[in-house]
Amino acid sequence: AIIGAVIVGPRKDRYDPQFEDQFLAHSVPFCVLGTFFLWFGWYGFNPGSTGTLHDIKTANTAALVAVNTTLSPCISGIVVFYLRARILPPKRLDVGAFCN
């Protein structure tokens, strides 16, 4: 991926101050949809990283990992959403930051 990024380079006029206002956020619904796809994938990867579910101990470990996979992004998103809405400029509800 890094080689492809180096070959392709940044978007045309992306870092030109004259065109700074033309690079606005992308499609917010697609950003949210992509976030849900990634989050769903984490449920296969993170609990699956326990290896097997052959006994109660490993099943409990996988369940704990699944709970952490749920709670961590939820709390992080809520904190970022609050900070962007109340403390950090531009003090707006920022769904893109929530998904990031």
Side-chain angles (χ1 to χ4, degrees), residues 43 46-68:
Y43 285 107
N46 291 346
S49 295
T50 59
T52 60
L53 296 175
H54 63 278
D55 61 2
I56 297 295
K57 184 177 179 183
T58 56
N60 286 336
T61 301
L64 180 62
V65 170
V67 168
N68 286 336

Side-chain angles (χ1 to χ4, degrees), residues 2-75:
I2 190 75
I3 301 299
V6 169
I7 290 171
V8 172
R11 291 178 284 175
K12 183 177 181 252
D13 299 326
R14 173 65 177 110
Y15 297 105
D16 188 353
Q18 180 181 359
F19 299 104
E20 187 175 85
D21 295 335
Q22 292 183 6
F23 288 92
L24 301 175
H26 298 287
S27 172
V28 175
F30 283 144
C31 177
V32 172
L33 186 64
T35 301
F36 283 132
F37 285 156
L38 284 171
W39 198 1
F40 183 75
W42 291 336
Y43 285 107
F45 178 77
N46 291 346
S49 295
T50 59
T52 60
L53 296 175
H54 63 278
D55 61 2
I56 297 295
K57 184 177 179 183
T58 56
N60 286 336
T61 301
L64 180 62
V65 170
V67 168
N68 286 336
T69 300
T70 302
L71 292 179
S72 297
C74 288
I75 298 301

